[in-house]
Amino acid sequence: MKLAAFFLALQQTTVEAKSAKPWRVFHAQKQNSKRTTLTAADNNRILRQQKNAFENDESEDKIVILDWWGGTPTRKRITKHECPETACYVTNDRSYEKEAEGILIDNTRFIQHHGDDHPDLENRNQNQYWIFWAREAASKGVNAGGKIMQGAWDSGFNMTTSYRRDSDIPRPFGSKNEAIRNARYKNGELIEDDETHIENIMKYKNPPNTKYAAWIVS
């Protein structure tokens, strides 16, 4: 039962892409404008409340998954997700490193950190799942990844998760309906009609005879 809940909780965690690509920067700025800016005191207060809720949860099958590079370091959270017949939580608070039932490790972030700033492999909790998250296709960054995915680290994972359906835990990058909601709605209210939406798309289109690309993911 715990393992099934573990899969469900992991599938529900949000995937956020960070990139210097102009269209992604524009999208990130737009999403950030919808978010409320919190002070450090506010963030600490929310985290304390969430920790208390987690610690006071007496569910027999309670689990917590640590998303090692998830979210923003100054915005730590431990949130409850709706899982059948159990209580499952997802957090980016690294103080749960030894306690969590599983740790989600983003391979893209691992490469960006040059193999540093990762969970403690030598003294890891042996009853814990380590999940290798291949954010990108295996062919992307294979040279950089191959240089640091060596020895015990390479064999330290129990499961894989990625956009691929043959992963242990398939974890897709959202859906078309979710993308439409994020782009055109705020708090359930339509903020961008059809014409405005198309105008914004065309505004960020590359000029003729410059760069064209088709991105196909199998």
Side-chain angles (χ1 to χ4, degrees):
M1 184 61 67
K2 268 198 171 186
L3 187 59
F6 181 84
F7 287 176
L8 285 168
L10 188 57
Q11 287 174 324
Q12 293 178 47
T13 55
T14 302
V15 177
E16 294 186 2
K18 297 180 180 179
S19 170
K21 296 182 178 69
W23 62 271
R24 274 190 174 163
V25 172
F26 171 72
H27 175 73
Q29 290 172 343
K30 190 171 184 179
Q31 295 308 307
N32 288 335
S33 68
K34 299 178 184 179
R35 296 172 180 164
T36 303
T37 301
L38 299 175
T39 65
D42 289 332
N43 279 314
N44 290 334
R45 173 180 51 79
I46 293 171
L47 180 60
R48 285 196 302 271
Q49 292 173 344
Q50 292 179 337
K51 278 190 169 185
N52 287 336
F54 171 73
E55 291 166 2
N56 293 329
D57 188 335
E58 298 180 352
S59 302
E60 184 177 348
D61 290 330
K62 180 175 69 174
I63 65 170
V64 60
I65 298 171
L66 171 58
D67 186 355
W68 187 259
W69 280 294
T72 305
T74 57
R75 194 183 177 98
K76 295 178 182 177
R77 296 288 186 268
I78 178 166
T79 56
K80 187 174 183 179
H81 291 251
E82 294 299 326
C83 296
E85 301 184 41
T86 191
C88 48
Y89 293 78
V90 177
T91 184
N92 65 336
D93 184 348
R94 295 184 180 182
S95 67
Y96 289 95
E97 178 181 354
K98 304 301 182 183
E99 178 181 349
E101 273 71 27
I103 301 181
L104 177 64
I105 300 172
D106 181 345
N107 186 52
T108 298
R109 299 289 176 259
F110 178 70
I111 292 174
Q112 289 173 344
H113 287 79
H114 306 289
D116 296 324
D117 187 35
H118 56 68
D120 184 357
L121 176 62
E122 184 176 349
N123 300 304
R124 65 179 287 185
N125 180 348
Q126 295 298 317
N127 295 318
Q128 188 177 67
Y129 290 102
W130 278 30
I131 307 98
F132 178 85
W133 177 21
R135 178 188 287 261
E136 305 283 0
S139 58
K140 182 175 181 179
V142 64
N143 292 330
K147 292 177 181 178
I148 54 180
M149 290 290 293
Q150 301 289 337
W153 180 261
D154 186 43
S155 60
F157 295 91
N158 311 98
M159 296 180 179
T160 61
T161 184
S162 76
Y163 66 89
R164 289 177 58 105
R165 294 183 180 180
D166 59 353
S167 298
D168 293 316
I169 310 170
R171 193 164 182 254
F173 277 76
S175 66
K176 61 180 178 59
N177 289 335
E178 183 180 356
I180 291 172
R181 284 196 301 270
N182 288 338
R184 304 181 62 185
Y185 288 82
K186 180 178 181 179
N187 298 326
E189 297 291 332
L190 181 67
I191 59 174
E192 194 173 83
D193 59 29
D194 293 346
E195 291 184 1
T196 304
H197 185 59
I198 293 299
E199 287 175 2
N200 284 331
I201 291 175
M202 298 305 292
K203 186 189 305 181
Y204 290 93
K205 183 179 178 181
N206 289 325
N209 303 317
T210 55
K211 298 178 180 178
Y212 291 92
W215 187 8
I216 301 175
V217 179
S218 61

